[in-house]
Amino acid sequence: DQQVKQNSPSLSVQEGRISILNCDYTNSMFDYFLWYKKYPAEGPTFLISISSIKDKNEDGRFTVFLNKSAKHLSLHIVPSQPGDSAVYFCAAKESDMRFGAGTRLTVKP
Amino acid sequence: NAGVMQNPRHLVRRRGQEARLRCSPMKGHSHVYWYRQLPEEGLKFMVYLQKENIIDESGMPKERFSAEFPKEGPSILRIQQVVRGDSAAYFCASSWGRVNNEQFFGPGTRLTVL
């Protein structure tokens, strides 16, 4: 049962442009959403989060948008940098955390 | 302040052997979570433990898998009689509390079953 879906397995963006990673969920009881970033051979690291009572949270180059009616959230990275190249996991939390399958972002110099 | 530590980083087992994966949470964290990542898939929740207690094992296969988090020492994920389908990366995460939403992940153990 895939409650959190990331439908794009990969995304390629030019350095300096905006990266938009998308995530959809099915469980309306999720009350907290997180994005994790993962480099090869490392564990995921927390990037940014948003509570269900908000629709936007910004931290430097990273902004997460939440559209509860559409059960959709997105992560915007602007401007994108080559060091942002990684796999990004969307996660949603009710009692336990549920992760999407990840999107591999490649930022080309 | 060391982060979440997992060992071994790589583990190779033959079918039928046992695999033991260890996780030491961050200092001050008493909540541990185990996740499995199969190739080309996301992280799948397996089990959530507090010291000496299993709180939620809804994601754990009913057979061959067990987990513990003793009063002293690391959390252990144990897989008995491993099969090829157990080959995956196993990640441990810890948090200060369950209400606290951020989980800190270890580097993972990559299990390969020959």
Side-chain angles (χ1 to χ4, degrees):
Chain A
D1 116 31
Q2 264 200 298
Q3 296 186 52
V4 180
K5 293 182 182 179
Q6 292 176 258
N7 291 318
S8 298
S10 63
L11 174 68
S12 183
V13 168
Q14 206 66 35
E15 182 179 5
R17 307 294 286 266
I18 185 171
S19 295
I20 300 177
L21 296 99
N22 293 303
C23 178
D24 297 292
Y25 61 95
T26 57
N27 184 351
S28 57
M29 299 301 292
F30 287 138
D31 58 6
Y32 207 80
F33 303 87
L34 306 91
W35 284 94
Y36 282 83
K37 176 179 177 180
K38 185 182 180 301
Y39 292 117
E42 295 183 14
T45 55
F46 171 75
L47 191 58
I48 192 169
S49 63
I50 187 167
S51 164
S52 60
I53 62 173
K54 293 189 172 182
D55 54 22
K56 178 182 174 182
N57 187 26
E58 193 172 349
D59 183 3
R61 297 185 298 112
F62 303 91
T63 303
V64 55
F65 294 92
L66 176 62
N67 182 336
K68 284 191 293 293
S69 60
K71 294 193 180 71
H72 176 84
L73 70 157
S74 60
L75 173 68
H76 292 211
I77 307 172
V78 54
S80 302
Q81 299 173 353
D84 296 330
S85 297
V87 177
Y88 290 78
F89 289 101
C90 163
K93 192 172 188 293
E94 182 192 353
S95 52
D96 296 307
M97 197 103 81
R98 294 288 181 257
F99 285 83
T103 296
R104 182 177 300 280
L105 173 66
T106 302
V107 179
K108 296 179 178 177
Chain B
N1 182 19
V4 178
M5 300 179 70
Q6 288 187 251
N7 70 83
R9 293 294 309 276
H10 301 274
L11 182 61
V12 179
R13 285 288 178 265
R14 296 192 182 281
R15 280 180 295 170
Q17 291 184 319
E18 178 180 289
R20 290 171 71 89
L21 289 65
R22 294 176 198 77
C23 169
S24 297
M26 281 183 73
K27 189 176 180 181
H29 288 189
S30 59
H31 298 249
V32 166
Y33 313 79
W34 284 93
Y35 294 86
R36 175 165 65 175
Q37 184 182 19
L38 294 168
E40 307 303 322
E41 294 188 19
L43 296 158
K44 293 271 170 57
F45 167 78
M46 297 182 74
V47 62
Y48 159 49
L49 310 102
Q50 276 184 273
K51 281 288 187 182
E52 300 185 272
N53 291 304
I54 295 174
I55 307 300
D56 181 353
E57 55 182 349
S58 58
M60 193 105 95
K62 295 286 185 284
E63 297 176 352
R64 302 188 296 108
F65 285 72
S66 62
E68 62 178 18
F69 189 15
K71 189 176 178 183
E72 302 290 338
S75 175
I76 307 283
L77 179 68
R78 184 177 174 211
I79 312 172
Q80 295 178 290
Q81 298 175 312
V82 295
V83 300
R84 288 225 172 98
D86 297 332
S87 296
Y90 291 83
F91 290 95
C92 165
S94 72
S95 67
W96 178 77
R98 192 175 198 183
V99 175
N100 176 276
N101 286 300
E102 185 180 336
Q103 297 178 11
F104 293 83
F105 281 81
T109 294
R110 183 162 298 280
L111 172 66
T112 302
V113 179
L114 301 177

